[in-house]
Amino acid sequence: MAKENGLENTSIAKIGKHLEIPPSLIMHYFPTKDILISHLINYILDQYLLIYEPAIRELKEKKHADPKTFVDKLFSRDWNLLFDDGVFYSCYALIFRNEVIKKEYRKLHDRLREFLKEILDHDDNLKGHDTQLLAEQIFVVVEGAYYYLSMIDDEKTYEKKVAFYKEQVYDLLRKKSELYL
């Protein structure tokens, strides 16, 4: 419903009506809209983490992730299939007015960075490097790219910008390990 109507136009009553259940049943599990949104943010995190599964499989098999596969996944449109950008950014906008939501988003972003750091830590080619800083730098590129790319409608321009952002991540990886790429 948040995807169709916008998060700000989605109430517990409307959700109940859509699901054909009493709103009181929803409120039994989610007593406030803030709690419901907190669970939505946790769902978004779970969906984000699905993007990392191919890199995790490669690490288990080879002891390093292929940077091309990994970077392609970071910049793939798979993110768009897992959840709606409009809902994501509507939730994000709430951090400026709601401390609970702000904490949930901070946890989401911290966990994504930790997960990326874990992937980088398991890569033998990056042993001895500051993978926490590298994960932070990669996320700055990825998050900024997605924010900007969501405004691009022309496919050629979109692909050109994605290639540019991928190259920025490759440059970061190259700086950490001459052998990596």
Side-chain angles (χ1 to χ4, degrees):
M1 290 207 53
K3 182 178 178 179
E4 292 172 18
N5 304 315
L7 187 64
E8 56 284 346
N9 295 320
T10 302
S11 66
I12 290 176
K14 288 180 182 178
I15 294 169
K17 184 176 180 179
H18 178 77
L19 295 174
E20 298 178 358
I21 61 173
S24 60
L25 182 59
I26 296 169
M27 293 188 74
H28 174 76
Y29 295 100
F30 308 103
T32 67
K33 190 173 179 182
D34 287 350
I35 292 171
L36 182 62
I37 292 171
S38 291
H39 284 271
L40 177 60
I41 293 167
N42 287 322
Y43 171 78
I44 290 170
L45 173 61
D46 291 341
Q47 297 304 298
Y48 261 129
L49 295 177
L50 292 175
I51 296 294
Y52 293 111
E53 285 184 1
I56 301 280
R57 277 194 303 274
E58 282 186 30
L59 284 171
K60 288 178 180 174
E61 293 169 10
K62 305 179 195 174
K63 286 293 191 198
H64 73 279
D66 174 22
K68 181 164 177 19
T69 302
F70 177 66
V71 174
D72 283 350
K73 272 304 206 183
L74 283 176
F75 286 98
S76 75
R77 293 200 177 173
D78 290 352
W79 300 95
N80 298 349
L81 300 175
L82 297 173
F83 60 90
D84 181 70
D85 286 340
V87 174
F88 176 86
Y89 286 116
S90 290
C91 288
Y92 177 77
L94 295 173
I95 72 165
F96 299 104
R97 295 182 296 284
N98 185 311
E99 281 300 315
V100 172
I101 302 300
K102 187 176 190 172
K103 286 178 185 174
E104 289 296 324
Y105 253 82
R106 190 176 310 124
K107 284 190 328 192
L108 177 145
H109 284 273
D110 288 348
R111 183 62 187 119
L112 289 172
R113 284 162 173 76
E114 288 169 16
F115 207 78
L116 178 55
K117 180 188 179 314
E118 290 172 25
I119 290 171
L120 297 171
D121 283 344
H122 283 90
D123 192 318
D124 292 339
N125 293 320
L126 293 172
K127 294 283 185 223
H129 293 286
D130 187 350
T131 54
Q132 184 170 354
L133 177 61
L134 181 57
E136 183 71 27
Q137 291 169 320
I138 290 171
F139 261 101
V140 167
V141 173
V142 172
E143 289 171 2
Y146 269 99
Y147 174 79
Y148 182 65
L149 289 168
S150 66
M151 295 178 260
I152 306 291
D153 293 325
D154 178 66
E155 190 65 30
K156 284 185 180 183
T157 303
Y158 185 95
E159 292 303 323
K160 185 177 178 182
K161 294 208 178 280
V162 166
F164 173 74
Y165 298 134
K166 284 181 181 181
E167 193 56 39
Q168 287 182 316
V169 172
Y170 288 135
D171 285 346
L172 288 168
L173 291 168
R174 276 187 210 101
K175 288 177 184 174
K176 294 297 178 193
S177 173
E178 298 301 321
L179 302 173
Y180 201 67
L181 294 174

